[in-house]
Amino acid sequence: MSWGYLIRRLLAIILVLVIVTFAVFAITAILPGNAAIMILGEYATPDAVAALQKQLHLDQPWYMQYYSWVSGILLHGDFGMSLRLSLPVTQVVGEAFLNSALLAVTALVAVTIIAIPLGALAALKRGTAVDLIIGLFSYLGTALPEFVTATLLLVFLAAPNTGPFPAGGFVAPWEDLGGFASHIVLPAVTLGLILLAHVSRQVRSEMSEVLSSDYVRAARLKGLSERRVIRRHALPNSLAPAVAVISLDIGYLLGGIIVVEEIFAWPGLGRVLMYALENRDLPVIQAVTLLLAGIYAVSNLVSDIVIALLDPRVRYA
Amino acid sequence: MRKFFSSPTAVVGTLLLAIVLFAALFGPLVAPFDPQEFHPVARLQGPSATYWLGTDQFGRDLLSRVLNGAPATVAFGLFATAIGVGIGSVIGVIAGVSGGWVDSTIMRILDGLLAVPDLLFTLLIVTVLGGGMEHALLAVAIAFTPGMARIARSAVLSVRTRDYVRAAVARGESGFYIVTFEVLPNALSPIVVESTIRVSFAIMIGATLGFLGLGAQPPSTEWGLMVAEARQFMFRNPWCVAIPGLSIAMAALGFNLFGDALRDALDPRRSH
């Protein structure tokens, strides 16, 4: 992997983000409902509405609005003020981002730890009952939308007074680690289930292919122990596609987080976004969308780098 | 055909799909009760001889409601995907066939749109259009368009340099003829496979929008909305959330497995 390649990829990400800003801006610009009236209420006087529109630059043509929005972000790191909360968008989104990141990273780490051995196990026991059960489970995982998984988990594991887990809410880990852990279990499991299914399936199919390859046969013929063949030869070579799937799944994860946070009252980006959509809080909608798209684009780049590190055969020009 | 049914994936997928399609076509006709009829003495019951799958908070028969919701749910998945695939394929074919700056401009825009997660994209469009079943359908279709365009483009690119296309060019056939009769039929199988699998995503996103109150509206029997309405009562009767929830899973699983089996049958190289 050359520096030229990295620089070109970074430029591509910037281009993607520019296109996203246009798309988001176009979508929010045609949102029905006048933002000024939404803030001031139905009975606002026309004078007050006009004054607020001026203050929000809503009286200017769209390209001027776009320019002032983008230059605010680039020059001052300023995403504007939330229309509803009267707080800077950076403050609203920043706090939520941290909470979402806690949830997403927990889910991702758990998925990686569980899915890779699970997929490898299915490949090693190919055609047996173990393989079948893992396969069925992973198919079911891909077919359950987050809100169904979440609801079923709530019914069975968070019943009032008797369930082992709280039905929702958030406790910061630096305040009470135990409370944080008990609150994060159900949302993380919900988020992780679809990914778990995808990743374990990918590892299984890749691993089955690798196990029947010439170099694994050679390693076995050399007299290496089965354990060593799997750990040193088969598994590392099955991981690159799993990383590719994980990075594509970040897209699902970022979408899923919206639903999961809404159901479990987790104060993250998803909840902020739903609130902003309901209240036509344009600056917040724009910032959250841009942030999620940016995370997705960067995670794709990171995964390409990880794949190249895992598999020396991969060459990017 | 016999080969297709030799894999368990194909058998289970076809079976599930048959059940789901049967429910979508005949569900309202075979439902034992009126889906909106209250039975006040039989609220929130588990399965019984009278109410096979139990009743909801108003004593409405869950089996009848699920059967009545089937056409809406399945049609949502099929139409949203069909529209998305249609528009996406046209864009993808245009990009793939034209090449050059047209292709790279279209691809850069698609890359930008693909960076927005599907559900987020759908939510933004639904907010613009306003909730409701038709708008939700349109939103899912639009959200699917960039991904489908990409797949159609790469399918076109893979056949563009084949000998039979070159032969047609050499014969002096018109561009329209070449695209319609030489390129498209040969680029079709990845598009068909991907669309079948996408129907399951469309069903899941549609149900999610219904659940969030942005899709189907009460008293519709759309499955996502049924879960949302029954949530308050889920601890008293888990059946009223489990039945519609598992119905969604069944429909999604049916399309998913069928699509996977179709891929294995159409492209033996990719099967494992």
Side-chain angles (χ1 to χ4, degrees), chain A residues 15-101:
Chain A
L15 186 64
V16 161
L17 288 182
V18 170
I19 291 163
V20 171
T21 61
F22 270 117
V24 172
F25 201 81
I27 288 172
T28 46
I30 51 177
L31 271 181
N34 185 318
I37 294 179
M38 289 290 295
I39 299 166
L40 294 170
E42 262 179 76
Y43 303 109
T45 60
D47 283 351
V49 171
L52 189 66
Q53 278 190 320
K54 200 171 171 69
Q55 188 197 329
L56 298 171
H57 306 295
L58 289 174
D59 53 341
Q60 290 174 357
W62 69 268
Y63 50 86
M64 284 306 292
Q65 289 183 45
Y66 180 79
Y67 172 75
S68 58
W69 177 55
V70 169
S71 62
I73 298 171
L74 290 180
L75 300 178
H76 315 289
D78 175 18
F79 284 84
M81 291 286 286
S82 159
L83 300 182
R84 268 302 155 114
L85 301 168
S86 305
L87 287 167
V89 171
T90 30
Q91 190 184 331
V92 176
V93 171
E95 230 164 87
F97 172 73
L98 192 66
N99 296 341
S100 283

Coordinates of all heavy atoms in Angstrom, one line a residue, chain A residues 15-101:
Chain A
L15 N -14.5 13.9 -1.2 CA -15.5 14.1 -2.3 C -16.8 13.5 -1.9 O -17.9 14.2 -2.1 CB -14.9 13.5 -3.6 CG -15.8 13.7 -4.8 CD1 -15.8 15.2 -5.2 CD2 -15.3 12.9 -6.0
V16 N -16.8 12.3 -1.3 CA -18.0 11.7 -0.9 C -18.8 12.6 0.1 O -20.0 12.8 0.0 CB -17.7 10.3 -0.2 CG1 -18.9 9.9 0.7 CG2 -17.4 9.3 -1.3
L17 N -18.0 13.2 1.1 CA -18.6 14.0 2.1 C -19.2 15.3 1.5 O -20.3 15.8 1.9 CB -17.6 14.4 3.2 CG -17.3 13.2 4.1 CD1 -16.3 13.6 5.2 CD2 -18.5 12.6 4.7
V18 N -18.5 15.8 0.5 CA -19.1 17.0 -0.2 C -20.4 16.7 -0.9 O -21.4 17.4 -0.7 CB -18.1 17.5 -1.3 CG1 -18.7 18.6 -2.1 CG2 -16.8 18.1 -0.6
I19 N -20.5 15.5 -1.5 CA -21.7 15.1 -2.2 C -22.8 14.9 -1.1 O -23.9 15.2 -1.3 CB -21.5 13.8 -3.0 CG1 -20.6 14.2 -4.2 CG2 -22.8 13.2 -3.5 CD1 -20.0 13.0 -4.9
V20 N -22.4 14.3 0.1 CA -23.3 14.1 1.1 C -23.9 15.4 1.6 O -25.1 15.6 1.8 CB -22.7 13.3 2.3 CG1 -23.6 13.3 3.5 CG2 -22.4 11.9 1.9
T21 N -23.0 16.4 1.8 CA -23.5 17.7 2.2 C -24.5 18.3 1.3 O -25.6 18.8 1.7 CB -22.4 18.8 2.4 OG1 -21.8 19.0 1.1 CG2 -21.4 18.4 3.4
F22 N -24.3 18.1 0.0 CA -25.3 18.6 -1.0 C -26.6 17.8 -0.9 O -27.7 18.4 -0.8 CB -24.7 18.4 -2.5 CG -24.0 19.5 -3.0 CD1 -22.6 19.4 -3.3 CD2 -24.6 20.8 -3.1 CE1 -21.9 20.5 -3.7 CE2 -23.8 21.9 -3.6 CZ -22.5 21.7 -3.9
A23 N -26.5 16.5 -0.8 CA -27.7 15.7 -0.7 C -28.5 16.1 0.6 O -29.7 16.3 0.5 CB -27.3 14.2 -0.7
V24 N -27.8 16.1 1.7 CA -28.4 16.4 3.0 C -29.1 17.8 2.9 O -30.2 18.1 3.3 CB -27.4 16.4 4.1 CG1 -28.1 16.9 5.4 CG2 -26.9 15.0 4.3
F25 N -28.3 18.7 2.3 CA -28.8 20.1 2.3 C -30.0 20.2 1.4 O -31.0 20.9 1.7 CB -27.7 21.0 1.7 CG -28.0 22.5 2.1 CD1 -27.6 22.9 3.3 CD2 -28.6 23.3 1.2 CE1 -27.9 24.2 3.7 CE2 -28.8 24.6 1.5 CZ -28.5 25.1 2.8
A26 N -30.0 19.5 0.2 CA -31.1 19.5 -0.7 C -32.4 18.9 0.0 O -33.5 19.5 0.0 CB -30.8 18.6 -1.9
I27 N -32.1 17.8 0.8 CA -33.3 17.1 1.5 C -33.9 18.1 2.5 O -35.1 18.3 2.6 CB -32.8 15.8 2.1 CG1 -32.6 14.8 1.0 CG2 -33.9 15.3 3.1 CD1 -32.0 13.5 1.4
T28 N -33.0 18.7 3.3 CA -33.5 19.5 4.4 C -34.1 20.8 3.9 O -35.0 21.4 4.5 CB -32.4 19.8 5.4 OG1 -31.2 20.2 4.7 CG2 -32.1 18.6 6.3
A29 N -33.6 21.3 2.7 CA -34.1 22.5 2.2 C -35.5 22.4 1.7 O -36.3 23.3 1.6 CB -33.2 23.0 1.0
I30 N -35.9 21.1 1.2 CA -37.3 21.0 0.8 C -38.2 20.4 1.8 O -39.3 20.0 1.5 CB -37.3 20.1 -0.5 CG1 -36.6 18.8 -0.3 CG2 -36.8 20.8 -1.7 CD1 -36.7 17.9 -1.5
L31 N -37.7 20.3 3.1 CA -38.5 19.8 4.1 C -39.7 20.7 4.2 O -39.6 21.9 4.2 CB -37.8 19.9 5.5 CG -37.0 18.6 5.9 CD1 -36.4 18.9 7.2 CD2 -37.9 17.4 6.0
P32 N -40.9 20.1 4.3 CA -42.1 21.0 4.5 C -42.1 21.6 5.9 O -41.5 21.1 6.8 CB -43.3 20.0 4.3 CG -42.7 18.6 4.7 CD -41.2 18.7 4.4
G33 N -42.8 22.7 6.0 CA -42.9 23.4 7.3 C -41.8 24.4 7.4 O -40.7 24.1 7.2
N34 N -42.2 25.6 7.7 CA -41.3 26.7 7.9 C -40.6 26.6 9.2 O -41.3 26.5 10.3 CB -42.1 28.0 7.8 CG -41.2 29.2 7.8 OD1 -40.3 29.2 8.6 ND2 -41.5 30.1 7.0
A35 N -39.3 26.5 9.2 CA -38.5 26.3 10.5 C -38.9 27.4 11.5 O -39.0 27.1 12.7 CB -37.1 26.2 10.2
A36 N -39.0 28.6 11.0 CA -39.2 29.7 11.9 C -40.6 29.6 12.6 O -40.7 29.8 13.8 CB -39.2 31.1 11.2
I37 N -41.6 29.1 11.8 CA -42.9 28.9 12.4 C -42.9 27.7 13.4 O -43.5 27.8 14.5 CB -44.0 28.7 11.3 CG1 -44.1 30.0 10.5 CG2 -45.3 28.3 11.9 CD1 -45.1 29.9 9.3
M38 N -42.1 26.7 13.0 CA -42.0 25.6 13.9 C -41.4 26.0 15.3 O -41.9 25.5 16.3 CB -41.0 24.5 13.4 CG -41.4 23.8 12.1 SD -42.7 22.6 12.5 CE -41.9 21.4 13.6
I39 N -40.5 27.0 15.3 CA -39.9 27.4 16.5 C -40.8 28.3 17.3 O -41.0 28.2 18.5 CB -38.5 28.1 16.3 CG1 -37.6 27.2 15.6 CG2 -37.9 28.6 17.6 CD1 -36.4 27.9 15.0
L40 N -41.4 29.3 16.6 CA -42.2 30.3 17.3 C -43.6 29.9 17.6 O -44.3 30.5 18.4 CB -42.2 31.6 16.4 CG -40.8 32.2 16.2 CD1 -40.9 33.3 15.2 CD2 -40.3 32.8 17.6
G41 N -44.0 28.8 17.0 CA -45.4 28.4 17.2 C -46.4 28.9 16.2 O -46.1 29.9 15.5
E42 N -47.5 28.3 16.2 CA -48.5 28.7 15.1 C -49.0 30.1 15.2 O -49.4 30.7 14.2 CB -49.8 27.8 15.3 CG -49.8 26.6 14.4 CD -51.0 25.8 14.6 OE1 -52.1 26.2 14.2 OE2 -50.9 24.8 15.3
Y43 N -49.0 30.7 16.4 CA -49.6 32.0 16.6 C -48.6 33.2 16.5 O -48.9 34.3 17.0 CB -50.4 32.1 17.9 CG -51.5 31.0 17.9 CD1 -51.3 29.9 18.7 CD2 -52.6 31.0 17.0 CE1 -52.3 28.9 18.7 CE2 -53.5 30.0 17.0 CZ -53.4 28.9 17.9 OH -54.3 27.9 17.8
A44 N -47.4 32.9 16.0 CA -46.4 33.9 15.9 C -46.8 35.0 14.9 O -47.5 34.8 14.0 CB -45.1 33.3 15.4
T45 N -46.4 36.3 15.3 CA -46.8 37.4 14.4 C -45.9 37.3 13.1 O -44.8 36.8 13.2 CB -46.5 38.7 15.1 OG1 -45.2 38.8 15.4 CG2 -47.4 38.9 16.3
P46 N -46.4 37.8 12.0 CA -45.6 37.7 10.8 C -44.2 38.4 11.0 O -43.2 38.0 10.4 CB -46.4 38.5 9.8 CG -47.8 38.3 10.3 CD -47.7 38.3 11.8
D47 N -44.2 39.5 11.8 CA -43.0 40.3 12.0 C -41.9 39.4 12.7 O -40.8 39.4 12.3 CB -43.2 41.5 12.9 CG -43.9 42.6 12.1 OD1 -44.0 42.5 10.9 OD2 -44.4 43.6 12.7
A48 N -42.4 38.7 13.7 CA -41.5 37.8 14.5 C -40.9 36.7 13.6 O -39.7 36.4 13.6 CB -42.2 37.2 15.7
V49 N -41.8 36.2 12.7 CA -41.4 35.1 11.8 C -40.3 35.6 10.9 O -39.2 35.0 10.7 CB -42.5 34.5 11.0 CG1 -42.0 33.6 9.9 CG2 -43.5 33.8 12.0
A50 N -40.6 36.8 10.3 CA -39.6 37.4 9.4 C -38.3 37.7 10.0 O -37.2 37.4 9.5 CB -40.2 38.7 8.8
A51 N -38.3 38.2 11.3 CA -37.1 38.5 12.0 C -36.3 37.3 12.2 O -35.1 37.2 12.0 CB -37.4 39.2 13.3
L52 N -37.0 36.2 12.7 CA -36.2 34.9 12.9 C -35.7 34.3 11.7 O -34.6 33.8 11.6 CB -37.2 33.9 13.6 CG -36.4 32.7 14.2 CD1 -35.5 33.1 15.3 CD2 -37.4 31.7 14.7
Q53 N -36.5 34.4 10.6 CA -36.0 33.9 9.3 C -34.7 34.6 8.9 O -33.8 34.0 8.4 CB -37.0 34.1 8.2 CG -38.1 33.0 8.2 CD -39.0 33.1 7.0 OE1 -39.4 34.2 6.6 NE2 -39.3 31.9 6.5
K54 N -34.7 35.9 9.2 CA -33.5 36.7 8.8 C -32.3 36.2 9.7 O -31.2 36.0 9.2 CB -33.8 38.2 9.1 CG -32.8 39.1 8.3 CD -33.3 40.6 8.4 CE -32.3 41.5 7.9 NZ -32.2 41.4 6.4
Q55 N -32.6 36.0 11.0 CA -31.6 35.6 11.9 C -31.0 34.2 11.5 O -29.8 34.0 11.6 CB -32.2 35.5 13.3 CG -31.1 35.3 14.4 CD -31.8 34.9 15.7 OE1 -32.9 35.3 16.0 NE2 -31.1 34.1 16.4
L56 N -31.9 33.3 11.0 CA -31.4 32.0 10.6 C -31.0 32.0 9.2 O -30.7 30.9 8.6 CB -32.6 31.0 10.8 CG -33.1 30.8 12.2 CD1 -34.4 30.0 12.2 CD2 -32.1 30.2 13.1
H57 N -31.0 33.1 8.5 CA -30.6 33.2 7.1 C -31.5 32.4 6.2 O -31.2 32.0 5.1 CB -29.1 32.6 6.8 CG -28.1 33.3 7.7 ND1 -27.8 34.6 7.6 CD2 -27.4 32.8 8.7 CE1 -26.9 34.9 8.5 NE2 -26.6 33.8 9.2
L58 N -32.8 32.2 6.6 CA -33.7 31.5 5.8 C -34.3 32.3 4.7 O -34.9 31.8 3.7 CB -34.9 30.9 6.6 CG -34.5 29.8 7.6 CD1 -35.7 29.4 8.5 CD2 -34.0 28.6 6.8
D59 N -34.0 33.6 4.7 CA -34.5 34.5 3.7 C -33.6 34.6 2.5 O -33.9 35.1 1.4 CB -34.8 35.9 4.2 CG -33.5 36.5 4.9 OD1 -32.6 35.6 5.3 OD2 -33.4 37.7 5.1
Q60 N -32.4 34.0 2.7 CA -31.4 34.0 1.6 C -31.6 32.8 0.6 O -32.2 31.8 1.0 CB -30.0 34.0 2.1 CG -29.7 35.2 2.9 CD -28.3 35.2 3.6 OE1 -27.7 34.1 3.6 NE2 -27.9 36.3 4.2
P61 N -31.1 33.0 -0.6 CA -31.2 31.8 -1.6 C -30.4 30.6 -1.1 O -29.5 30.8 -0.2 CB -30.6 32.4 -2.9 CG -29.9 33.6 -2.5 CD -30.5 34.2 -1.3
W62 N -30.8 29.4 -1.6 CA -30.2 28.2 -1.0 C -28.7 28.1 -1.1 O -28.1 27.6 -0.2 CB -30.9 27.0 -1.6 CG -30.5 26.8 -3.1 CD1 -31.2 27.2 -4.2 CD2 -29.3 26.1 -3.6 NE1 -30.5 26.8 -5.3 CE2 -29.4 26.1 -5.0 CE3 -28.3 25.4 -3.0 CZ2 -28.4 25.5 -5.8 CZ3 -27.3 24.8 -3.8 CH2 -27.4 24.9 -5.2
Y63 N -28.1 28.7 -2.2 CA -26.7 28.5 -2.3 C -25.9 29.4 -1.3 O -24.9 29.0 -0.8 CB -26.2 28.8 -3.7 CG -26.7 30.1 -4.3 CD1 -26.1 31.3 -4.1 CD2 -27.9 30.1 -5.1 CE1 -26.6 32.5 -4.6 CE2 -28.4 31.3 -5.6 CZ -27.7 32.5 -5.4 OH -28.2 33.6 -5.9
M64 N -26.6 30.5 -0.9 CA -26.0 31.3 0.2 C -26.1 30.6 1.5 O -25.2 30.6 2.3 CB -26.6 32.7 0.3 CG -26.2 33.7 -0.8 SD -24.5 33.9 -1.0 CE -24.1 34.8 0.6
Q65 N -27.2 30.0 1.7 CA -27.4 29.2 3.0 C -26.4 28.1 3.0 O -25.8 27.8 4.1 CB -28.8 28.6 3.0 CG -29.9 29.6 3.3 CD -31.3 28.9 3.4 OE1 -31.4 27.9 4.1 NE2 -32.3 29.5 2.7
Y66 N -26.2 27.4 1.9 CA -25.3 26.3 1.8 C -23.9 26.8 2.1 O -23.1 26.2 2.9 CB -25.3 25.6 0.5 CG -24.3 24.5 0.3 CD1 -24.6 23.2 0.8 CD2 -23.1 24.6 -0.3 CE1 -23.7 22.2 0.7 CE2 -22.2 23.6 -0.5 CZ -22.5 22.4 0.1 OH -21.6 21.3 0.0
Y67 N -23.5 28.0 1.5 CA -22.2 28.5 1.7 C -21.9 28.9 3.2 O -20.9 28.5 3.7 CB -22.0 29.8 0.8 CG -20.7 30.5 1.1 CD1 -19.5 30.0 0.6 CD2 -20.7 31.7 1.8 CE1 -18.4 30.6 0.9 CE2 -19.6 32.3 2.1 CZ -18.4 31.8 1.6 OH -17.2 32.5 1.9
S68 N -22.9 29.5 3.8 CA -22.7 29.9 5.2 C -22.6 28.7 6.1 O -21.8 28.7 7.1 CB -23.7 31.0 5.6 OG -25.0 30.5 5.5
W69 N -23.4 27.7 5.8 CA -23.4 26.5 6.6 C -22.0 25.8 6.5 O -21.3 25.5 7.5 CB -24.5 25.5 6.1 CG -24.5 24.2 6.8 CD1 -24.5 24.0 8.2 CD2 -24.5 22.9 6.2 NE1 -24.6 22.6 8.5 CE2 -24.5 21.9 7.3 CE3 -24.4 22.4 4.9 CZ2 -24.5 20.6 7.1 CZ3 -24.4 21.1 4.7 CH2 -24.4 20.1 5.8
V70 N -21.5 25.5 5.2 CA -20.3 24.8 5.0 C -19.1 25.7 5.5 O -18.2 25.1 6.2 CB -20.1 24.5 3.5 CG1 -18.7 24.0 3.3 CG2 -21.1 23.4 3.1
S71 N -19.1 27.0 5.3 CA -18.0 27.8 5.7 C -17.9 27.8 7.3 O -16.9 27.8 7.9 CB -18.0 29.2 5.1 OG -19.2 29.8 5.6
G72 N -19.1 27.8 7.9 CA -19.1 27.7 9.3 C -18.4 26.5 9.9 O -17.7 26.5 10.8
I73 N -18.7 25.3 9.2 CA -18.1 24.1 9.6 C -16.6 24.1 9.4 O -15.8 23.8 10.3 CB -18.7 22.9 8.8 CG1 -20.2 22.8 9.1 CG2 -18.0 21.6 9.2 CD1 -20.9 21.8 8.2
L74 N -16.2 24.5 8.2 CA -14.8 24.4 7.8 C -14.0 25.5 8.5 O -12.9 25.1 9.0 CB -14.7 24.6 6.3 CG -15.2 23.5 5.4 CD1 -15.0 23.8 4.0 CD2 -14.5 22.2 5.8
L75 N -14.5 26.7 8.7 CA -13.6 27.7 9.3 C -13.7 27.7 10.8 O -12.7 28.0 11.4 CB -14.1 29.1 8.7 CG -14.0 29.3 7.2 CD1 -14.5 30.6 6.8 CD2 -12.5 29.1 6.8
H76 N -14.8 27.4 11.4 CA -14.9 27.6 12.8 C -15.3 26.2 13.5 O -15.5 26.2 14.7 CB -16.0 28.6 13.2 CG -15.9 29.9 12.4 ND1 -14.8 30.8 12.6 CD2 -16.6 30.4 11.4 CE1 -15.0 31.8 11.7 NE2 -16.1 31.6 11.0
G77 N -15.5 25.2 12.7 CA -16.0 23.9 13.3 C -17.4 24.1 13.9 O -17.7 23.5 14.9
D78 N -18.1 25.0 13.3 CA -19.4 25.4 13.9 C -20.5 24.9 13.1 O -20.6 25.2 11.9 CB -19.4 27.0 14.0 CG -20.8 27.4 14.5 OD1 -21.5 26.6 15.1 OD2 -21.1 28.6 14.3
F79 N -21.4 24.0 13.7 CA -22.5 23.5 12.9 C -23.8 24.3 13.1 O -24.8 23.8 12.8 CB -22.7 22.0 13.3 CG -21.7 21.0 12.7 CD1 -20.5 20.8 13.3 CD2 -22.0 20.4 11.5 CE1 -19.6 20.0 12.8 CE2 -21.1 19.5 11.0 CZ -19.9 19.3 11.6
G80 N -23.7 25.4 13.7 CA -24.8 26.2 14.0 C -25.5 26.0 15.3 O -24.9 25.2 16.1
M81 N -26.7 26.5 15.5 CA -27.4 26.4 16.8 C -28.5 25.4 16.5 O -29.2 25.5 15.5 CB -27.9 27.7 17.3 CG -26.9 28.7 17.7 SD -26.2 28.3 19.3 CE -27.5 28.7 20.4
S82 N -28.8 24.5 17.5 CA -30.0 23.7 17.4 C -31.2 24.7 17.5 O -31.3 25.5 18.4 CB -30.0 22.7 18.6 OG -31.4 22.3 18.8
L83 N -32.2 24.5 16.6 CA -33.3 25.4 16.6 C -34.2 25.1 17.8 O -34.9 26.0 18.4 CB -34.2 25.2 15.3 CG -33.4 25.5 14.0 CD1 -34.4 25.3 12.9 CD2 -32.9 26.9 14.0
R84 N -34.3 23.9 18.3 CA -35.2 23.5 19.4 C -34.6 23.6 20.7 O -35.3 24.0 21.7 CB -35.7 22.1 19.1 CG -37.0 22.1 18.3 CD -38.0 22.9 19.0 NE -39.0 23.4 18.2 CZ -40.3 23.0 18.3 NH1 -40.6 22.1 19.1 NH2 -41.2 23.6 17.5
L85 N -33.3 23.3 20.9 CA -32.7 23.2 22.2 C -32.0 24.4 22.6 O -31.5 24.5 23.7 CB -31.8 22.0 22.2 CG -32.5 20.6 21.9 CD1 -31.4 19.5 21.7 CD2 -33.4 20.2 23.0
S86 N -31.8 25.4 21.7 CA -31.1 26.6 21.9 C -29.7 26.3 22.5 O -29.2 27.0 23.4 CB -31.8 27.5 22.9 OG -33.1 27.8 22.5
L87 N -29.1 25.3 21.9 CA -27.7 24.9 22.3 C -26.9 24.8 21.0 O -27.5 24.5 20.0 CB -27.7 23.6 23.0 CG -28.2 23.5 24.4 CD1 -28.4 22.0 24.8 CD2 -27.2 24.2 25.4
P88 N -25.6 25.0 21.1 CA -24.8 24.8 19.9 C -24.9 23.3 19.4 O -24.9 22.4 20.3 CB -23.3 25.1 20.3 CG -23.4 25.8 21.6 CD -24.7 25.4 22.2
V89 N -25.0 23.1 18.1 CA -25.2 21.7 17.6 C -24.0 20.9 18.0 O -24.2 19.7 18.4 CB -25.3 21.7 16.1 CG1 -25.2 20.3 15.5 CG2 -26.6 22.4 15.6
T90 N -22.8 21.4 18.0 CA -21.6 20.6 18.4 C -21.8 20.1 19.8 O -21.4 18.9 20.1 CB -20.3 21.5 18.4 OG1 -20.7 22.8 18.7 CG2 -19.7 21.4 17.0
Q91 N -22.4 20.8 20.7 CA -22.5 20.4 22.1 C -23.6 19.2 22.1 O -23.3 18.2 22.7 CB -23.0 21.5 23.0 CG -22.9 21.2 24.4 CD -23.5 22.3 25.3 OE1 -23.4 23.5 24.9 NE2 -24.1 22.0 26.4
V92 N -24.7 19.4 21.5 CA -25.8 18.4 21.5 C -25.3 17.1 20.8 O -25.4 16.0 21.4 CB -27.0 18.9 20.6 CG1 -28.1 17.8 20.6 CG2 -27.5 20.2 21.2
V93 N -24.6 17.3 19.7 CA -24.2 16.1 18.9 C -23.0 15.4 19.6 O -22.9 14.2 19.6 CB -23.9 16.5 17.4 CG1 -23.3 15.3 16.7 CG2 -25.2 16.9 16.8
G94 N -22.1 16.3 20.1 CA -20.9 15.7 20.7 C -21.1 14.7 21.8 O -20.6 13.6 21.9
E95 N -22.0 15.2 22.8 CA -22.4 14.3 23.9 C -23.0 13.0 23.4 O -22.7 11.9 23.8 CB -23.3 15.0 24.8 CG -23.0 15.1 26.2 CD -23.8 16.1 26.9 OE1 -24.9 15.8 27.3 OE2 -23.3 17.3 27.0
A96 N -24.0 13.2 22.5 CA -24.7 12.0 21.9 C -23.7 11.1 21.2 O -23.8 9.9 21.3 CB -25.8 12.5 21.0
F97 N -22.7 11.7 20.5 CA -21.8 10.9 19.7 C -21.0 9.9 20.7 O -20.8 8.8 20.4 CB -20.8 11.8 19.0 CG -19.7 11.1 18.3 CD1 -19.9 10.3 17.2 CD2 -18.4 11.1 18.8 CE1 -18.9 9.6 16.6 CE2 -17.4 10.5 18.3 CZ -17.6 9.7 17.1
L98 N -20.6 10.5 21.8 CA -19.8 9.7 22.8 C -20.7 8.5 23.2 O -20.2 7.4 23.3 CB -19.5 10.6 23.9 CG -18.4 10.0 24.9 CD1 -17.1 9.8 24.2 CD2 -18.3 10.9 26.1
N99 N -21.9 8.8 23.6 CA -22.8 7.7 24.1 C -23.0 6.6 23.0 O -23.0 5.4 23.3 CB -24.1 8.2 24.5 CG -24.0 9.2 25.7 OD1 -22.9 9.1 26.4 ND2 -25.0 10.0 26.0
S100 N -23.2 7.1 21.8 CA -23.4 6.1 20.6 C -22.2 5.3 20.4 O -22.3 4.1 20.1 CB -23.8 6.9 19.4 OG -25.1 7.3 19.4
A101 N -21.0 6.0 20.5 CA -19.8 5.3 20.2 C -19.6 4.2 21.3 O -19.2 3.1 20.9 CB -18.6 6.3 20.3

